[in-house]
Amino acid sequence: MVKEQLREVQAHVQEACRRAGRNPDEVTLIAVSKTKPVSMLAEAYEEGARNFGENKVQEILEKSPQLPADVHWHMIGHLQRNKVRQVIDKVVLIHSVDSIRLAEQIEEEAGKKDRTVDILLEVNVAREESKYGFMLEEVEAAILEISRFPHVRIRGLMTIAPFVENSEENRPIFKKLFEFYVDMKCKNIDNVTMDVLSMGMSGDYEVAIEEGATMVRVGTSIFGSRQRLERT
Ligand SMILES: *Cc1c(COP(=O)(O)O)cnc(C)c1O
């Protein structure tokens, strides 16, 4: 099941790239495996998946030793400051930095370990009250402040678009964040690479790719629906 569904998603990613005239190498598919058993992740791994997304630190700590070491783990969920220390060694990228205080905590813990941690700033483009993230108008100031942290590198931006019936409804959201991303990239801020734009989930990843996503985070379409309700 997982293998077929993963292949289908991979094919859709390729087609969306073709439609948009983009090189498929520019787009990383992150298999969002939260709540799913390691056996299902192993199936996806056998089919070529190397990037897995989780939204809980505990799940990353439990699952990562059970999968091969070449797996890249992505922290995509709201991160509490007291969990930063445990997770920074385990993940290649934290997508969900939603406050300056969290970035400060990452800076502090990364400094102690004398390493640099790659992050994305989460942007609440649709201004949904239920969601974490910076408002679009706050992001530039946040980037300028965090760019001074020597042990944190801002790689780009992430958004969770609203849940909609028709993925076209989210196209303006993706367009807006892409435009802002390009603006920020053009500013060539020190320590800010702006080469990652993480947007698009099961319902709308094709539209997100057409609008410039470089990472899509797909769970349900690969692993099936989740039982437990979880906050995103
Ligand atoms: C759960 C989750 C996803 C994947 O959602 P699906 O709709 O199952 O593809 C993507 N991003 C974040 C931040 C999530 O929490």
Side-chain angles (χ1 to χ4, degrees), residues 3 70 79 89 107 109 111 121 140 195 199-200 217 221:
K3 289 187 179 178
D70 62 345
L79 177 58
D89 289 332
E107 166 61 28
E109 297 298 339
L121 299 192
E140 183 169 0
D195 59 340
M199 58 186 194
R217 311 176 307 268
S221 293

Side-chain angles (χ1 to χ4, degrees), residues 19 36 58 89 97 112 116 134 154 170-171 203 206:
R19 280 197 300 279
K36 298 298 177 183
Q58 193 54 39
D89 289 332
V97 175
K112 286 183 198 162
T116 304
F134 294 95
I154 302 178
N170 280 336
R171 191 180 292 277
E206 293 162 89

Side-chain angles (χ1 to χ4, degrees), residues 127-197:
R127 318 182 77 84
E128 290 178 283
E129 272 185 30
S130 60
K131 295 238 167 90
Y132 292 105
F134 294 95
M135 294 297 156
L136 200 49
E137 68 272 16
E138 301 170 334
V139 183
E140 183 169 0
I143 290 174
L144 289 170
E145 184 162 354
I146 297 168
S147 70
R148 295 200 301 259
F149 298 179
H151 302 92
V152 173
R153 180 168 50 215
I154 302 178
R155 296 289 306 273
L157 306 172
M158 179 273 240
T159 197
I160 303 171
F163 181 78
V164 290
E165 290 297 325
N166 176 357
S167 59
E168 284 299 326
E169 291 174 52
N170 280 336
R171 191 180 292 277
I173 304 269
F174 297 142
K175 257 191 209 305
K176 201 167 176 179
L177 193 60
F178 179 74
E179 274 171 24
F180 181 78
Y181 165 80
V182 171
D183 282 353
M184 289 299 116
K185 195 202 286 277
C186 289
K187 296 200 175 195
N188 285 318
I189 302 164
D190 271 354
N191 206 23
V192 179
T193 58
M194 279 293 150
D195 59 340
V196 177
L197 184 57

Side-chain angles (χ1 to χ4, degrees), residues 30-34 53-55 75-78 95-96 122 158-160 163 198 200-205 216-222 224-226 230-232:
I30 298 172
V32 176
S33 47
K34 61 193 187 195
E54 292 283 346
N55 67 342
M75 177 60 192
I76 63 172
H78 177 64
H95 293 231
S96 42
E122 180 172 349
M158 179 273 240
T159 197
I160 303 171
F163 181 78
S198 170
M201 308 177 20
S202 288
D204 53 22
Y205 64 93
V216 291
R217 311 176 307 268
V218 180
T220 309
S221 293
I222 297 172
S225 62
R226 292 174 294 271
E230 75 287 324
R231 180 154 185 202
T232 53

Side-chain angles (χ1 to χ4, degrees), residues 31 47 50-51 57 64 68 90 101 106 122 126 137 142 146 161 165 184 216-217:
E47 197 57 39
R50 292 295 179 274
N51 289 276
V57 170
S64 57
K90 303 287 185 292
R101 290 176 76 207
I106 297 170
E122 180 172 349
E137 68 272 16
I146 297 168
E165 290 297 325
M184 289 299 116
V216 291
R217 311 176 307 268

